[in-house]
Amino acid sequence: MKRTIFLASTAAVLLAIGTACSTSRASAPATPETPVSPAEAKPFEGTTWQLLELRGTAARPGMKSEPPTVHFQADVASVRGHGGVNSFFGPYVLDAGTLRIERLASTRMAGPSELMDQESALLTALQAARSWRVTGDELELFDARGAMLGRFRAAASE
């Protein structure tokens, strides 16, 4: 009898742990076609992501050859980063696998027109993002229709 109660209790605890892990904000994939276990992927939040491409176009290094970056900070629900010329920041919301970034603010320094255009496109893409997928050390952001907006790689220091 005691063994049966112990096994039932253990099963209930393991089920509760599995349910809690499956609803983690950091591991929610954008599309179910390529699920990735949280152990294999960098966390969406808390990782600094370097821009690789934006709407299919390879990213240019920013001023001082630093790549544009984005970082989602869970404890304050704030996104921040560097667009190549200016720093940006603002709130974000994760809700049931949906991402919303609104009201981004940035510094107002001027730079070469190609970097300013890329930076503007990055901020527009971030605000259009509605879902994401992390596969290994890469992050992809998607719009409401499922079109890829941008692809990022975890920064080397991560």
Side-chain angles (χ1 to χ4, degrees):
M1 175 80 170
K2 288 182 182 179
R3 181 180 170 108
T4 304
I5 292 172
F6 173 75
L7 290 174
S9 299
T10 302
V13 168
L14 291 174
L15 180 61
I17 290 171
T19 301
C21 290
S22 70
T23 59
S24 170
R25 289 169 35 147
S27 62
T31 55
E33 298 89 30
T34 56
V36 174
S37 99
E40 297 172 3
K42 289 285 191 177
F44 173 74
E45 297 171 301
T47 299
T48 298
W49 300 101
Q50 294 180 350
L51 181 65
L52 296 176
E53 69 179 68
L54 196 54
R55 295 188 187 265
T57 301
R60 296 174 181 264
M63 304 280 280
K64 301 178 187 173
S65 298
E66 294 178 18
T69 60
V70 63
H71 182 93
F72 297 89
Q73 189 172 341
D75 59 342
V76 291
S78 177
V79 60
R80 62 180 167 78
H82 193 266
V85 178
N86 292 287
S87 297
F88 63 86
F89 53 92
Y92 73 94
V93 175
L94 294 180
D95 183 33
T98 301
L99 170 65
R100 284 211 177 277
I101 303 169
E102 298 175 354
R103 301 182 320 262
L104 285 177
S106 70
T107 56
R108 299 283 183 180
M109 296 182 352
S113 62
E114 64 274 2
L115 292 181
M116 297 301 293
D117 291 345
Q118 175 178 271
E119 184 171 277
S120 177
L122 173 60
L123 297 181
T124 299
L126 288 172
Q127 292 180 103
R130 293 296 174 264
S131 61
W132 74 96
R133 175 176 47 218
V134 175
T135 306
D137 68 346
E138 289 196 4
L139 165 68
E140 296 171 324
L141 296 179
F142 302 92
D143 67 13
R145 295 176 293 126
M148 189 191 317
L149 298 167
R151 191 167 59 90
F152 302 78
R153 179 167 290 133
S157 62
E158 292 293 327

